[in-house]
Amino acid sequence: MLFKFNSILLSIIFACALEVSIFQRHWFFAVLIFLVCFSVLMVWPLARKIRFLAIPFFLSIGSLSLLFLIDDLIEKQVFVVLSSFVYYLALLGAYRLKFYDCDQTAQGMINLATLATGFFWFVSNYGWYLNFQISAWILVLTFIGSTFLIGLPSLMICQAACSKIRQRSKKQPSNLVNGGILEAVECSQRERKTVLFFSLILSLVIGEVIWGLSLWPFAYLTTGVVALIIYFVFWDAVRTYIQRTFTLKAVALNVILSTLAIAGILSTAQWNLVV
């Protein structure tokens, strides 16, 4: 099921709100308030869980913030189309996971939306930092908070799916009689605490990364892409650990490929501050 009318309709409304912000720039904060209320009041009936609501919420704000920094009209229109598509995937993934936590396709949609949301936030936050001369400590705190709240839902969804799969594989009458249900609940609670801990560590790492990158003379797009690449390496390591498929070989491969990608980006970037 790749099409859902409610998701399509909400995505169209989302796109229309972004279009309004393009042609009526002085309505920026009005559109921002609308998107916040829209995510809470209209998306909630579709998602029904906080972890499904978080990605559309932050995607809305991140898309609007980044759109404000784009000057070319054609680029704005392309961005609206791409962000609306990601928004649709986030809604559709949330809708499917509401009925079946172990839907791999839906998890893939949420993961893609998570990375896209992270990219929008990283680029837009750093762009606002450069353009409006925001203090560095505010930038770091913003990155720490946003990274934690954006990455946590996808990791919680992954944990919930893996926990349910393990419970089903061990579900036997004898286990149910001998306290198997209680043991499964306690195990799930420990796993949630582990996810929260790793999410906090990941957000602190990105905060340190963005503090270091703020000392380099790069534009917001270059800095945002580099931060996203580093974020992906750590986020993917945590995700595979939760799934119990973590291997040092896979992490090493991600680190090597990410290092090559960052080196390529920095070698072609302008080494002077462009806002």
Side-chain angles (χ1 to χ4, degrees), residues 13-275:
I13 297 174
F14 169 76
C16 291
L18 295 183
E19 289 289 345
V20 170
S21 70
I22 293 177
F23 297 103
Q24 302 291 337
R25 290 177 65 90
H26 60 282
W27 285 12
F28 175 83
F29 289 104
V31 175
L32 177 63
I33 295 174
F34 168 78
L35 288 177
V36 170
C37 297
F38 177 74
S39 298
V40 174
L41 300 178
M42 300 300 294
V43 178
W44 173 254
L46 187 71
R48 290 293 182 184
K49 292 183 179 180
I50 294 296
R51 62 173 178 262
F52 297 150
L53 181 64
I55 294 300
F57 178 82
F58 287 103
L59 181 60
S60 299
I61 303 176
S63 299
L64 182 62
S65 299
L66 183 54
L67 185 63
F68 183 81
L69 300 174
I70 301 175
D71 296 324
D72 186 76
L73 181 59
I74 296 178
E75 293 178 356
K76 286 178 178 287
Q77 297 299 331
V78 172
F79 178 77
V80 169
V81 173
L82 292 177
S83 58
S84 300
F85 176 70
V86 175
Y87 192 82
Y88 171 73
L89 291 180
L91 295 182
L92 182 60
Y95 175 78
R96 293 176 56 152
L97 287 170
K98 183 174 67 173
F99 297 101
Y100 181 51
D101 289 338
C102 304
D103 190 328
Q104 296 295 317
T105 302
Q107 289 185 46
M109 295 176 182
I110 296 296
N111 291 339
L112 177 61
T114 298
L115 296 177
T117 303
F119 173 72
F120 294 166
W121 271 82
F122 294 165
V123 174
S124 61
N125 285 351
Y126 199 77
W128 281 67
Y129 161 74
L130 294 179
N131 284 276
F132 298 99
Q133 298 181 345
I134 299 173
S135 300
W137 68 270
I138 297 179
L139 173 71
V140 174
L141 289 180
T142 301
F143 265 81
I144 292 175
S146 59
T147 300
F148 179 80
L149 295 174
I150 291 171
L152 181 61
S154 61
L155 298 178
M156 292 294 290
I157 290 170
C158 179
Q159 180 272 327
C162 295
S163 178
K164 182 163 291 188
I165 291 175
R166 288 192 290 268
Q167 289 178 21
R168 288 176 179 175
S169 64
K170 297 179 180 179
K171 189 174 182 181
Q172 297 177 357
S174 58
N175 291 338
L176 297 178
V177 173
N178 297 319
I181 294 179
L182 180 60
E183 181 181 354
V185 171
E186 293 177 349
C187 181
S188 179
Q189 292 176 346
R190 289 195 300 269
E191 290 175 348
R192 292 194 188 98
K193 293 179 180 179
T194 301
V195 171
L196 289 172
F197 173 76
F198 279 119
S199 297
L200 178 60
I201 295 300
L202 178 57
S203 62
L204 293 175
V205 168
I206 297 302
E208 289 289 335
V209 167
I210 203 63
W211 176 78
L213 291 175
S214 67
L215 303 177
W216 289 69
F218 295 124
Y220 59 86
L221 182 59
T222 301
T223 303
V225 172
V226 172
L228 178 69
I229 293 174
I230 297 174
Y231 171 79
F232 171 77
V233 174
F234 286 94
W235 173 82
D236 188 63
V238 173
R239 185 178 61 85
T240 54
Y241 177 82
I242 295 172
Q243 293 178 331
R244 298 185 181 180
T245 58
F246 177 88
T247 61
L248 291 177
K249 182 178 179 180
V251 174
L253 180 61
N254 282 341
V255 170
I256 293 173
L257 294 177
S258 299
T259 302
L260 293 176
I262 292 174
I265 292 171
L266 297 184
S267 63
T268 58
Q270 289 183 317
W271 284 66
N272 59 320
L273 193 59
V274 179
V275 295

